[in-house]
Amino acid sequence: MKAATVAILLCSSPAILTQSSGSMPGVRNQFNIETIGRKMKDVIAVDIQKNREILQELVDLQTNETEQMYKYIDAAIEKLSNATFFILNEFKNNTEENLENMKTAMKENLESINAKVDANDKKIVESIMGGNGSALALTEDWMKARSEAIENIVSSRLSVCGHTQHHIPPGTVAYDNTLQSNTKEIRILGETIEWEDVFDLKRGEFTVPAGGAGEYLVSAAVVMDVHSYQAKLNKDRTVMSQYRFLLNGHKELDVAPLYSDAGKDSEADLVQASRSIVWQLKDGESLALKKIDTRHALSPEAALDHRITFCVTLLHLDMALTQVLATPPAKSAAVLDDWKYSAPPAMISSTISQPGPSTHLNTEPATMLP
């Protein structure tokens, strides 16, 4: 308002000067000038002083704000430094404690696992080498049973022969003796068998004993007299002579005959005939030698044959291929103790504290200049 008054006075001063110039120009002008000077001095000086005071207040306020800001920054830095130092110190302490806990836990875990390993080793050794029921005992029993089975197969032996001096009528040949000692031992799968149980001389029949199924070498030999005297004809005639192996008392093995009709007279009528075959026989099956009936009108009587032998020898037992030997023992695994890792307790550092309230003081807004 005071500045406006000064402006009005300045604007009205020409009019005053004009009005005063009519009567007393010099005196009025001087008066007006002094009046205006006093007015301006009174008004402007007060305004200038007031503005100076306002500027000083602004400077003081700015200085105070700056000091408050510096204090806030210093306080914030100090607080952050203290919190950081606390966290770092706590982290250092926790790290040392964690390392110590890990060291202790590793030692305890190592001792625990060593104890478990020792206990499990004892169980494994006991399971393998303990008493009855251990893997070693079961394996020993298995090896013993297997060895006995193999030994019984390998030690099996059977060989019989029948012999007769002469034979005339057709049919199964009976024998007088064995050509071998009757004390010769016959063994099949560890069992001793009497000679008479496998070969009946009177019936001329060989029977496969129990467990004796397998491959057999079967052979027969006959001295055939193919030119003999025929009583009904009262003269010598050539006579056919033929033999076959007889299976189970009824089946003739016509694939392997003994045969001859080569004699021309009584001075050259003996033929040595023989036949050997390998035949598969089952338990209980029988085998014999049969003279075939070859008589006919021109030779009504059978030939007289000599030195007939019939032999059967075991070559290989079927049991050697088909017997189910004892299987390896299936020992259940030892029940071992479990071991679990024990983790050490972890020390976790505290989180950094949240910053506190602002240290900046609220100040009144600066007074604006008019």
Side-chain angles (χ1 to χ4, degrees), residues 142 144-156 188-191 211-213 316-327:
W142 170 72
K144 182 179 179 181
R146 185 180 179 88
S147 297
E148 289 178 355
I150 295 174
E151 182 180 355
N152 289 337
I153 292 173
V154 173
S155 63
S156 295
I188 297 295
L189 298 178
E191 297 292 332
H316 193 278
L317 282 175
D318 286 348
M319 193 66 71
L321 299 176
T322 60
Q323 182 181 14
V324 179
L325 300 178
T327 56

Side-chain angles (χ1 to χ4, degrees), residues 290-311:
K290 177 181 179 181
K291 184 174 181 177
I292 305 301
D293 189 356
T294 59
R295 294 174 294 180
H296 55 85
L298 297 178
S299 298
E301 298 179 20
L304 173 63
D305 297 318
H306 314 281
R307 299 293 184 181
I308 302 174
T309 58
F310 173 64
C311 297

Side-chain angles (χ1 to χ4, degrees), residues 108-114 116 337-342:
E108 292 176 352
N109 284 322
L110 182 60
E111 292 174 352
S112 174
I113 195 172
N114 285 336
K116 294 290 185 182
D337 295 334
D338 293 332
W339 178 82
K340 294 183 179 180
Y341 173 73
S342 298

Side-chain angles (χ1 to χ4, degrees), residues 190-207:
E191 297 292 332
T192 301
I193 301 174
E194 295 297 330
W195 203 92
E196 294 81 1
D197 293 336
V198 296
F199 195 19
D200 188 338
L201 293 177
K202 299 302 181 181
R203 297 177 56 194
E205 188 175 69
F206 166 79
T207 303

Side-chain angles (χ1 to χ4, degrees), residues 239-260:
V239 181
M240 182 186 300
S241 183
Q242 184 176 359
Y243 289 81
R244 290 179 182 175
F245 295 114
L246 185 65
L247 180 64
N248 296 328
H250 61 86
K251 182 178 181 181
E252 297 177 2
L253 304 182
D254 52 7
V255 295
L258 288 82
Y259 171 82
S260 178

Side-chain angles (χ1 to χ4, degrees), residues 24-244:
M24 296 188 309
V27 176
R28 284 292 180 184
N29 288 339
Q30 181 66 32
F31 175 78
N32 290 336
I33 291 171
E34 291 177 356
T35 301
I36 291 171
R38 285 193 303 271
K39 291 287 185 182
M40 292 179 64
K41 180 178 179 181
D42 293 339
V43 174
I44 293 174
V46 173
D47 288 341
I48 291 173
Q49 182 63 33
K50 186 64 176 179
N51 287 336
R52 183 177 296 173
E53 291 176 357
I54 292 173
L55 290 175
Q56 185 63 42
E57 288 180 0
L58 291 174
V59 170
D60 293 341
L61 181 60
Q62 185 66 34
T63 300
N64 183 56
E65 286 291 320
T66 303
E67 290 178 355
Q68 293 294 331
M69 184 178 295
Y70 283 141
K71 289 180 181 180
Y72 170 75
I73 292 173
D74 292 341
I77 292 175
E78 181 180 3
K79 185 174 182 179
L80 181 61
S81 299
N82 292 338
T84 303
F85 175 78
F86 172 77
I87 294 300
L88 291 176
N89 187 59
E90 186 178 9
F91 180 76
K92 173 177 175 295
N93 295 335
N94 290 342
T95 301
E96 293 176 350
E97 188 170 353
N98 284 334
L99 290 175
E100 186 64 27
N101 290 341
M102 290 177 62
K103 179 180 178 181
T104 303
M106 288 178 65
K107 180 180 179 182
E108 292 176 352
N109 284 322
L110 182 60
E111 292 174 352
S112 174
I113 195 172
N114 285 336
K116 294 290 185 182
V117 169
D118 291 341
N120 288 337
D121 286 345
K122 291 180 180 179
K123 291 183 178 181
I124 293 173
V125 172
E126 181 66 23
S127 174
I128 295 175
M129 303 183 64
N132 294 333
S134 66
L136 184 61
L138 293 177
T139 302
E140 183 180 2
D141 295 340
W142 170 72
M143 293 181 65
K144 182 179 179 181
R146 185 180 179 88
S147 297
E148 289 178 355
I150 295 174
E151 182 180 355
N152 289 337
I153 292 173
V154 173
S155 63
S156 295
R157 54 175 294 177
L158 191 160
S159 180
V160 294
C161 283
H163 171 265
T164 185
Q165 188 73 21
H166 305 288
H167 184 77
I168 296 177
T172 302
V173 179
Y175 306 99
D176 302 326
N177 53 68
T178 65
L179 289 180
Q180 303 178 64
S181 172
N182 289 335
T183 60
K184 184 176 180 180
E185 187 178 68
I186 297 177
R187 289 179 61 85
I188 297 295
L189 298 178
E191 297 292 332
T192 301
I193 301 174
E194 295 297 330
W195 203 92
E196 294 81 1
D197 293 336
V198 296
F199 195 19
D200 188 338
L201 293 177
K202 299 302 181 181
R203 297 177 56 194
E205 188 175 69
F206 166 79
T207 303
V208 179
E215 295 174 356
Y216 286 82
L217 175 63
V218 184
S219 61
V222 181
V223 177
M224 297 179 176
D225 189 350
V226 296
H227 193 91
S228 60
Y229 176 75
Q230 298 288 310
K232 293 181 179 181
L233 300 178
N234 194 25
K235 60 181 179 179
D236 291 341
R237 295 290 295 178
T238 299
V239 181
M240 182 186 300
S241 183
Q242 184 176 359
Y243 289 81
R244 290 179 182 175

